[in-house]
């Protein structure tokens, strides 16, 4: 099981320990792993907000990881692809990062897909595949995962090549939740009035 949040915390502790002992080269490696685990955990925390990490921001390799983190945060899959595949940034020169590249890209693509789909009721699989730079088979696999994880309510039409988003269910669920809240509120008001009337009755 990939417990990326726990891994993030462990890498960050290791990074701080290496930094405190003056082992700058190992600290840099651990900081890269901190960023990787942070993205794989889909965390909102930016590791470069910490005082310890800011010390290394001007280092070329760490700067590349900072740019990767920024592109990930903005769901900019095109920039992520460029950063990862450009040998001058040396991101993939690390075997550990390279091992989890597919996990990283898949998480980013899932987020981008979810954002792309949001305004539509029907959208072409071909359009989605071009937007995130993968083939139809891969985009279908990603959509299936989003559906299975209940991130979207939709049906895939593999024959015609479209995704049909079930916005009605989402609207109905919201409407039902609002009605339930109103019913609870009216019930409380009703009970409160009964109690007041009971106290007002002469003994």
């Amino acid at each position: 099981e990939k417990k990326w949040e726990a891994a993030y915390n462990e890498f960050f502790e290791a990074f701080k320990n290496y930094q405190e002992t003056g082992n700058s080269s190992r600290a840099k490696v651990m900081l890269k792993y901190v960023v990787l685990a942070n993205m794989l955990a889909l965390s909102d925390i930016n590791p470069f907000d910490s005082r310890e990490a800011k010390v290394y921001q001007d280092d070329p390799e760490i700067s590349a990881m900072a740019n990767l983190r920024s592109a990930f945060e903005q769901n900019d899959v095109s920039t992520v692809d460029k950063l990862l595949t450009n040998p001058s940034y040396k991101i993939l020169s690390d075997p550990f990062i390279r091992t989890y590249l597919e996990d990283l890209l898949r998480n980013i693509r899932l987020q981008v897909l979810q954002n792309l789909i949001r305004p539509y009721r029907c959208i072409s699989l071909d359009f989605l595949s071009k937007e995130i730079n993968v083939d139809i088979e891969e985009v279908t696999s990603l959509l299936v995962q989003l559906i299975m994880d209940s991130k979207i309510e939709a049906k895939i039409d593999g024959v015609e090549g479209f995704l049909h988003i079930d916005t009605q269910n989402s609207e109905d669920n919201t409407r039902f939740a609002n009605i339930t809240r109103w019913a609870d509120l009216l019930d409380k008001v009703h009970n409160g009035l009964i109690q007041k009337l009971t106290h007002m009755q002469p003994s």
Side-chain angles (χ1 to χ4, degrees):
E1 187 179 358
K2 297 168 183 174
K3 298 181 178 178
W4 291 113
E5 288 182 15
Y8 169 80
N9 292 327
E10 288 175 17
F11 285 139
F12 199 83
E13 283 304 310
F15 158 67
K16 288 196 293 185
N17 289 336
Y18 281 123
Q19 189 186 39
E20 287 169 6
T21 56
N23 192 336
S24 180
S25 60
R26 289 300 300 166
K28 278 168 53 178
V29 171
M30 285 301 115
L31 183 53
K32 288 198 279 188
Y33 296 168
V34 164
V35 179
L36 176 70
N38 175 261
M39 290 186 285
L40 287 167
L42 302 177
S43 173
D44 292 329
I45 299 168
N46 187 339
F48 291 101
D49 287 341
S50 72
R51 176 176 50 82
E52 297 89 347
K54 282 179 180 176
V55 175
Y56 295 89
Q57 270 192 317
D58 291 332
D59 181 276
E61 291 182 32
I62 300 303
S63 177
M65 290 300 291
N67 291 335
L68 183 66
R69 177 67 180 77
S70 177
F72 170 77
E73 201 170 43
Q74 296 166 20
N75 290 322
D76 186 351
V77 72
S78 175
T79 300
V80 168
D81 277 332
K82 287 175 185 175
L83 286 166
L84 290 174
T85 55
N86 190 326
S88 66
Y89 296 126
K90 298 182 181 178
I91 294 175
L92 296 183
S93 63
D94 186 301
F96 182 78
I97 293 176
R98 191 166 60 247
T99 299
Y100 294 104
L101 170 63
E102 284 306 316
D103 283 338
L104 176 62
L105 285 175
R106 188 171 182 85
N107 277 338
I108 294 168
R109 285 166 179 156
L110 283 167
Q111 282 203 325
V112 173
L113 264 183
Q114 198 172 347
N115 288 335
L116 277 173
I117 291 162
R118 191 167 286 125
Y120 297 98
R121 292 192 176 184
C122 181
I123 190 167
S124 136
L125 299 183
D126 184 58
F127 169 77
L128 292 174
S129 72
K130 287 174 182 174
E131 283 295 304
I132 61 171
N133 197 30
V134 296
D135 58 28
I136 296 288
E137 186 178 345
E138 177 64 15
V139 85
T140 302
S141 169
L142 292 165
L143 290 170
V144 167
Q145 184 173 336
L146 286 173
I147 293 168
M148 296 294 288
D149 292 343
S150 300
K151 296 289 179 67
I152 60 170
E153 292 186 34
K155 293 178 182 177
I156 301 169
D157 182 349
V159 177
E160 297 294 330
F162 283 92
L163 178 76
H164 298 278
I165 298 91
D166 190 1
T167 55
Q168 187 60 44
N169 274 355
S170 298
E171 290 169 3
D172 286 347
N173 289 340
T174 303
R175 195 177 298 114
F176 179 75
N178 288 335
I179 290 169
T180 302
R181 280 196 295 271
W182 273 107
D184 289 342
L185 180 63
L186 289 171
D187 192 45
K188 286 177 184 176
V189 171
H190 176 70
N191 290 336
L193 285 171
I194 288 175
Q195 286 180 359
K196 284 182 181 178
L197 288 170
T198 302
H199 290 311
M200 288 171 64
Q201 287 177 358
S203 53

